[in-house]
């Protein structure tokens, strides 16, 4: 396996080592999302961040894996049409995907890829289009999503960062909840506040924050070792 | 801010602090042990007084003593002037010194209300310090009558090499301890400054305070070892869980 593949595989810690501390943290995330709205079903979710490189893709893939491990039928959609990366994580082709289903009227079942994890399916982004915001905001997109909602228990979106482009704000309008990923010790408060304001402005339902890449304290490790 | 928080900030950047402190101490050590020559100091003493006779008896007049004391501040200036230093160079060519060199090595002092002047010269060689200080003292004593029209300077003690044989430098250890203390203070100051300017989100507290959002999960950094499940299992048995269970039953 090449180094590139290894690097991408690293995203899938919950699949490789479900007993690790990090996998436990993703399960905590899943549980907290489920409990953040008792009265409302959390079916369509998206993971957003203010800027690039805060760990959206890692968070969304691992969250998807934990949902799948729970026995739910999960679809992971790469809505980052400008800079897609889910196909790299799951080693799928990106020649077909969301945009090809959209533009060439291919059926959804043809473009959704299976992964080697049970119950987890991935809709890659497809070829990079020139007008990603228009595609994501179109009526056809809403129809597609309604169709998908009937086929899957949980639908998760990987999106571009909130601040530079409007794409993720458009996607957030389809979602029951938005999880904001913050890179601990790297993202400035003001920037995250701005991203939160943008999401609030489009009436997105922000469930909470995932702090990513924290320093791990020694006590924490001991705790998990004992009980895990 | 609580003391606990301060300790946390320091502990977080302990590496930076220790790097700064160790680098400063090492530099000071290298400088003081290898590149600092010992400095010697030679001292000569001059006394400013004259006696005069009134009706055949030698007397000491309070006014004269006072004026001598006042004169000392002028003498200090004169000694450092080119009028004296140039003469020193002419009369003692074997010193191979320039007026500027002597002037920078020369320090003239006196205790208040005292007629004694101290002339000190620092040099990296004992002989040189002694020679220069004696040359300056002698020239000054000889020249002052023509400059001030008064002959009231006497050499009290000349510098000698034995008395000035020990270098006056502080020990390298002293400088290293000094640089340790100073660099430690600066490094801790720097760390607090860095923390003050760091406006990134770091903890659950920050999330609650600045975003008013709940925290769903902490995702910690992934260790390489965690990618192989077998390894984590072995670390679990090391924690003693398996043996504990059988022992309990």
């Amino acid at each position: 396996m090449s180094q590139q593949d290894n690097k991408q595989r690293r995203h899938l810690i919950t699949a490789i080592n479900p007993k690790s501390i990090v996998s436990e943290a993703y399960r905590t995330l899943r549980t907290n999302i489920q409990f953040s709205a008792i009265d409302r079903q959390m079916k369509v979710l998206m993971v957003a961040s203010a800027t690039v490189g805060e760990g959206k893709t890692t968070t969304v893939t691992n969250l998807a894996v934990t949902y799948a491990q729970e026995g739910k039928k999960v679809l992971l959609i790469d809505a980052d049409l400008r800079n897609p990366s889910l196909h790299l994580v799951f080693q799928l082709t990106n020649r077909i995907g969301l945009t090809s289903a959209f533009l060439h009227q291919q059926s959804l079942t043809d473009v959704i890829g299976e992964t080697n994890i049970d119950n987890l399916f991935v809709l890659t982004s497809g070829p990079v289009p020139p007008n990603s915001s228009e595609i994501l905001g179109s009526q056809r997109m809403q129809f597609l999503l309604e169709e998908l909602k009937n086929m899957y228990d949980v639908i998760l979106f990987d999106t571009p960062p909130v601040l530079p482009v409007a794409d993720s704000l458009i996607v957030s309008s389809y979602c029951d909840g938005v999880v904001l990923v913050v890179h601990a010790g790297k993202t400035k408060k003001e920037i995250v506040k701005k991203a939160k304001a943008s999401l609030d402005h489009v009436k997105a339902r922000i469930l909470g924050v995932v702090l990513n890449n924290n320093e791990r304290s020694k006590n924490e490790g001991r705790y998990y070792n004992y009980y895990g | 801010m609580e003391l606990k928080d301060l300790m946390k900030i320091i502990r977080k950047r302990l590496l930076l602090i220790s790097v700064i402190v160790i680098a400063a101490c090492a530099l000071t050590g290298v400088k003081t042990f290898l590149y600092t020559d010992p400095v010697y100091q030679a001292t000569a003493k001059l006394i400013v007084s004259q006696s005069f006779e009134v009706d055949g008896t030698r007397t000491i007049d309070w006014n004269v003593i006072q004026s001598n004391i006042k004169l000392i501040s002028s003498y200090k200036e004169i000694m450092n002037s080119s009028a004296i230093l140039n003469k020193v160079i002419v009369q003692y060519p074997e010193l191979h010194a320039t007026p500027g060199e002597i002037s920078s090595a020369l320090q003239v002092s006196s205790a208040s209300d005292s007629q004694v002047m101290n002339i000190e010269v620092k040099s990296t060689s004992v002989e040189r310090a002694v020679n220069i200080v004696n040359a300056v003292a002698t020239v000054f004593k000889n020249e002052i009558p023509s400059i001030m029209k008064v002959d009231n300077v006497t050499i009290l003690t000349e510098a000698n090499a034995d008395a000035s044989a020990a270098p006056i430098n502080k020990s390298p250890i002293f400088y290293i301890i000094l640089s340790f203390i100073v660099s430690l203070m600066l490094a801790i100051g720097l760390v607090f400054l860095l923390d003050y300017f760091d406006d990134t989100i770091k903890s659950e507290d920050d999330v609650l305070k600045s975003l008013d959002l709940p925290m769903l999960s902490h995702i910690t950094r992934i260790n390489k070892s965690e990618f192989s499940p077998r390894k984590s299992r072995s670390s679990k048995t090391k924690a003693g869980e398996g043996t504990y269970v059988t022992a309990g039953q």
Side-chain angles (χ1 to χ4, degrees), chain A residues 9-11 13 16-17 19-22 25-26 28-29 32-33 179-180 182-190 192-193 196 206-216 220 225-228, chain B residues 11-12 197-233 235-237 239-241 244:
Chain A
R9 258 171 55 83
R10 292 184 120 226
H11 285 297
I13 177 74
I16 299 164
N17 187 359
K19 287 197 161 182
S20 72
I21 300 166
V22 178
Y26 283 113
T28 309
L29 171 62
N32 281 340
I33 290 171
V179 174
L180 197 57
V182 173
H183 195 299
K186 203 177 129 196
T187 320
K188 291 197 160 47
K189 283 173 190 164
E190 288 311 308
V192 187
K193 274 185 192 168
K196 191 202 168 207
I206 305 176
L207 302 176
V209 172
V210 172
L211 262 193
N212 212 7
N213 220 7
N214 261 317
E215 296 289 342
R216 186 183 304 177
E220 199 179 352
N225 265 338
Y226 190 76
Y227 289 97
Chain B
R11 202 175 308 147
K12 206 173 70 186
F197 284 122
D198 183 3
D199 60 343
T200 59
I201 290 184
K202 288 183 289 292
S203 63
E204 181 162 9
D205 248 19
D206 292 338
V207 172
L208 285 174
K209 270 187 208 154
S210 59
L211 298 178
D212 197 25
L213 286 173
M215 180 115 139
L216 296 176
S217 188
H218 269 270
I219 311 290
T220 48
R221 203 162 285 170
I222 304 175
N223 287 348
K224 255 186 199 156
S225 64
E226 282 176 81
F227 282 96
S228 55
R230 211 178 39 183
K231 252 188 189 171
S232 85
R233 213 175 289 144
S235 80
K236 235 168 61 181
T237 45
E241 200 180 52
Y244 178 78

Side-chain angles (χ1 to χ4, degrees), chain A residues 26-89:
Chain A
Y26 283 113
R27 279 194 290 276
T28 309
L29 171 62
R30 181 194 66 195
T31 312
N32 281 340
I33 290 171
Q34 282 163 351
F35 277 100
S36 60
I38 305 282
D39 52 334
R40 199 173 156 183
Q41 206 189 358
M42 285 289 149
K43 188 158 192 178
V44 185
L45 290 168
M46 115 182 191
V47 175
S49 74
T51 56
V52 181
E54 297 199 56
K56 283 183 302 294
T57 302
T58 314
T59 308
V60 82
T61 49
N62 283 297
L63 183 61
V65 170
T66 54
Y67 269 118
Q69 283 167 345
E70 204 186 28
K72 292 211 165 106
K73 202 177 173 197
V74 183
L75 177 67
L76 194 50
I77 302 177
D78 197 344
D80 192 348
L81 301 182
R82 295 161 200 262
N83 185 17
S85 55
L86 277 186
H87 60 282
L88 296 172
V89 179

Side-chain angles (χ1 to χ4, degrees), chain B residues 45-46 48 68-70 72-73 76 108-120:
Chain B
K45 286 181 190 291
L46 298 179
V48 183
N68 283 338
I69 289 169
K70 293 275 183 281
I72 285 179
S73 31
K76 286 180 189 168
V108 187
S109 62
S110 68
S112 62
D113 287 342
S114 152
Q115 288 172 272
V116 178
M117 286 168 74
N118 290 312
I119 311 173
E120 289 163 359

Side-chain angles (χ1 to χ4, degrees), chain B residues 49-206:
Chain B
S49 77
Q50 83 254 47
S51 51
F52 52 95
E53 295 179 8
V54 181
D55 305 331
T57 47
R58 296 190 161 234
T59 55
I60 294 174
D61 184 356
W62 190 84
N63 286 322
V64 175
I65 291 172
Q66 285 307 305
S67 56
N68 283 338
I69 289 169
K70 293 275 183 281
L71 271 177
I72 285 179
S73 31
S74 306
Y75 286 172
K76 286 180 189 168
E77 294 297 315
I78 292 167
M79 197 172 298
N80 249 322
S81 71
S82 51
I84 299 295
L85 297 180
N86 285 341
K87 289 238 163 55
V88 172
I89 284 145
V90 172
Q91 289 177 23
Y92 296 88
E94 70 273 14
L95 288 176
H96 300 297
T98 61
E101 192 188 337
I102 296 177
S103 169
S104 64
L106 184 71
Q107 203 184 351
V108 187
S109 62
S110 68
S112 62
D113 287 342
S114 152
Q115 288 172 272
V116 178
M117 286 168 74
N118 290 312
I119 311 173
E120 289 163 359
V121 167
K122 286 171 186 162
S123 172
T124 50
S125 131
V126 189
E127 287 84 41
R128 195 169 162 78
V130 168
N131 290 340
I132 291 175
V133 82
N134 288 338
V136 171
T138 315
V139 170
F140 182 73
K141 181 198 173 297
N142 296 338
E143 287 302 315
I144 209 69
S146 65
I147 295 170
M148 296 289 284
K149 314 286 182 232
V150 57
D151 181 13
N152 61 353
V153 175
T154 321
I155 294 177
L156 188 65
T157 53
E158 284 202 335
N160 68 31
D162 292 340
S164 351
I168 57 158
N169 303 44
K170 293 226 164 54
S171 93
I173 303 296
F174 171 82
Y175 286 110
I176 289 171
I177 290 171
L178 191 73
S179 91
F180 175 81
I181 293 166
V182 171
S183 62
L184 188 67
M185 278 161 60
L186 287 178
I188 288 174
L190 178 76
V191 163
F192 284 137
L193 198 70
L194 282 178
D195 189 76
Y196 179 75
F197 284 122
D198 183 3
D199 60 343
T200 59
I201 290 184
K202 288 183 289 292
S203 63
E204 181 162 9
D205 248 19
D206 292 338

